[in-house]
């Protein structure tokens, strides 16, 4: 029971923390999913644990799947989120009536097709819903690559897989927290467009290194091109650079490459120069080659001075 009590307290703390993080960083999907988990907990205040488990095991997978499949908006307080609010409101109204209704019991929701000693869900109808919704959610996750939703869905339902379930606890909110913190880390240390490490990551990488070769790859056209063209070009260049084993970073519109020694640097830079000279870029059905410059040197006293020194050599 001590473990169960701990899991209950932990899930409550995680739900509140996930709700705060989602609100602060404007992740509307996780915000409403966390709100749904918190709402599900209120059923236990006015209904027995058994009745509350029956209700949540049946309706949580439905609402969770609906909120996961719903198109995500950039703002939490958006008119497009009215459907999410209505779904949570509808769930709350149903909880008040069904969780205290004596006709709403396990005999109505069981079909007696499972007879396993080690696996017996709270009710079999909810298990059918869970499997069906998990399949739909898996298809969405394969398409959007948001696999955290599938694991969170399983973490939300885990307790209901066992008939002798105790007070409500879940692992979905913990998964949400890990996902949000990882997303915050990516936004802080990686460029969202090219997915390459940014200047903060570069500073962290070179800190404490006494010797390294730093190279700067500069494209002349990027300074004058339209913003939409710049994004397309940067993406294409990033795909090319991802082939290299060198540490590659993006600083403004320039690409920074870090090498351990001079021999490795010269070898890779020669190949990169040859590759870019023979690479054509296509925009608006027109093929063209970008003008570029590659300059390199050994590190100076600090990174900022080194980059400034390299940029002076571009002109």
């Amino acid at each position: 029971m001590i473990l169960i009590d701990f899991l209950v307290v932990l899930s409550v703390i995680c739900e509140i923390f996930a709700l705060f993080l989602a609100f602060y960083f404007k992740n509307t999907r996780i915000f409403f999913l966390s709100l749904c988990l918190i709402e599900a907990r209120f059923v236990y205040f006015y209904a027995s644990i058994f009745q509350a488990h029956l209700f949540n095991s049946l309706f949580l997978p439905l609402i969770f799947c609906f909120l996961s499949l719903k198109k995500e908006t950039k703002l939490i307080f958006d008119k497009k989120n009215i459907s999410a609010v209505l779904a949570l409101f509808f769930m709350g109204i149903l909880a008040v009536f069904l969780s205290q209704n004596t006709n709403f019991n396990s005999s109505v929701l069981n079909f007696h097709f499972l007879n396993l000693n080690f696996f017996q869900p709270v009710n079999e109808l909810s298990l059918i819903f869970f499997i069906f919704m998990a399949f739909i959610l898996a298809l969405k996750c394969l398409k959007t690559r948001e696999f955290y939703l599938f694991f969170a869905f399983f973490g939300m339902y885990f307790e209901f897989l066992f008939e002798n379930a105790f007070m409500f606890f879940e692992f979905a909110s913990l998964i949400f927290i890990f996902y949000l913190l990882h997303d915050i880390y990516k936004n802080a240390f990686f460029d969202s467009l090219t997915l390459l490490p940014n200047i903060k990551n570069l500073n962290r990488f070179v800190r404490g290194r006494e010797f390294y070769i730093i190279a700067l790859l500069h494209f002349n056209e990027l300074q004058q091109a339209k913003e939409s063209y710049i994004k397309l070009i940067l993406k294409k260049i990033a795909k090319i650079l991802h082939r290299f084993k060198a540490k590659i970073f993006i600083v403004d519109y320039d690409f920074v490459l870090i090498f351990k020694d001079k021999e490795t640097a010269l070898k890779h830079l020669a190949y990169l120069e040859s590759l870019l000279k023979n690479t054509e870029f296509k925009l608006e059905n027109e093929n063209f080659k970008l003008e570029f410059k590659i300059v390199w040197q050994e590190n100076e006293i600090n990174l900022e001075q080194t980059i400034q020194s390299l940029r002076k050599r571009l002109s």
Side-chain angles (χ1 to χ4, degrees):
M1 286 299 293
I2 296 175
L3 176 61
I4 299 299
D5 291 339
F6 170 75
L7 289 175
V8 172
V9 174
L10 177 65
S11 60
V12 171
I13 294 171
C14 287
E15 285 161 11
I16 296 170
F17 189 43
L19 188 72
F20 168 77
L21 286 176
F23 179 79
Y24 187 81
F25 293 101
K26 299 180 181 179
N27 189 310
T28 55
R29 177 168 286 123
I30 291 181
F31 176 82
F32 284 108
L33 285 171
S34 299
L35 204 59
C36 175
L37 294 173
I38 292 173
E39 182 183 22
R41 198 168 293 281
F42 280 97
V43 185
Y44 296 89
F45 286 102
Y46 51 80
S48 67
I49 294 176
F50 178 73
Q51 287 292 103
H53 268 29
L54 284 180
F55 177 83
N56 281 331
S57 65
L58 187 63
F59 286 97
L60 260 182
L62 298 174
I63 302 298
F64 193 101
C65 192
F66 168 75
L67 294 175
S68 299
L69 295 174
K70 181 183 172 297
K71 188 176 180 180
E72 189 175 10
T73 58
K74 293 182 179 180
L75 298 174
I76 292 173
F77 300 107
D78 192 308
K79 291 180 181 178
K80 294 179 181 178
N81 290 324
I82 290 176
S83 59
V85 175
L86 289 175
L88 293 176
F89 178 76
F90 179 67
M91 178 181 168
I93 296 297
L94 279 178
V96 172
F97 291 100
L98 286 182
S99 62
Q100 298 182 13
N101 190 330
T102 54
N103 293 322
F104 181 69
N105 53 57
S106 58
S107 61
V108 178
L109 304 177
N110 283 330
F111 308 108
H112 307 291
F113 66 87
L114 278 178
N115 190 20
L116 302 173
N117 294 328
F118 62 90
F119 172 68
Q120 192 68 41
V122 172
N123 69 84
E124 293 169 359
L125 180 60
S126 73
L127 181 64
I128 293 172
F129 284 163
F130 170 73
I131 294 171
F132 180 68
M133 295 301 167
F135 176 74
I136 295 174
L137 205 55
L139 293 178
K140 172 194 166 54
C141 292
L142 287 171
K143 183 179 178 180
T144 62
R145 307 192 70 80
E146 295 177 311
F147 297 108
Y148 78 95
L149 286 172
F150 181 81
F151 293 113
F153 184 66
F154 183 82
M156 173 272 299
Y157 191 83
F158 178 77
E159 186 187 12
F160 303 129
L161 292 173
F162 307 99
E163 189 175 28
N164 298 321
F166 298 91
M167 278 294 292
F168 177 61
F169 64 86
E170 45 77 27
F171 301 105
S173 54
L174 187 62
I175 293 170
F176 290 152
I177 290 172
F178 281 125
Y179 174 80
L180 287 167
L181 291 177
H182 180 257
D183 200 46
I184 294 164
Y185 168 77
K186 281 201 309 181
N187 291 333
F189 292 98
F190 290 84
D191 178 63
S192 59
L193 182 66
T194 62
L195 302 181
L196 288 172
N198 60 17
I199 185 66
K200 290 181 181 177
N201 217 323
L202 176 57
N203 273 301
R204 188 181 62 174
F205 179 76
V206 300
R207 190 177 297 130
R209 293 176 182 269
E210 295 182 0
F211 178 84
Y212 56 87
I213 301 294
I214 179 169
L216 191 71
L217 173 61
H218 175 80
F219 291 87
N220 301 328
E221 286 90 343
L222 293 183
Q223 302 297 328
Q224 293 83 28
K226 294 180 182 178
E227 186 177 351
S228 57
Y229 291 173
I230 292 173
K231 290 180 179 180
L232 290 172
I233 293 169
L234 287 176
K235 282 184 178 180
K236 291 178 182 292
I237 298 168
K239 284 184 179 180
I240 295 172
L241 294 178
H242 274 302
R243 303 176 195 173
F244 290 83
K245 294 181 180 179
K247 293 292 182 179
I248 302 166
F249 305 84
I250 185 166
V251 179
D252 298 327
Y253 294 147
D254 295 326
F255 295 90
V256 175
L257 294 84
I258 304 293
F259 301 95
K260 294 181 180 179
D261 55 74
K262 185 177 178 180
E263 183 181 351
T264 305
L266 292 175
K267 180 180 176 181
H268 281 75
L269 293 176
Y271 175 69
L272 176 60
E273 186 174 3
S274 175
L275 182 64
L276 291 174
K277 282 181 178 179
N278 294 290
T279 300
E280 287 190 344
F281 295 87
K282 188 175 182 180
L283 288 176
E284 295 185 350
N285 298 322
E286 288 188 14
N287 293 329
F288 63 94
K289 291 183 179 180
L290 288 172
E291 292 184 12
F292 64 92
K293 288 183 179 179
I294 300 177
V295 290
W296 64 272
Q297 69 176 52
E298 296 178 7
N299 63 302
E300 293 185 351
I301 298 172
N302 61 57
L303 180 65
E304 188 178 351
Q305 286 182 350
T306 307
I307 292 176
Q308 285 178 359
S309 176
L310 288 170
R311 283 179 171 162
K312 284 179 183 178
R313 293 168 56 189
L314 292 171
S315 54

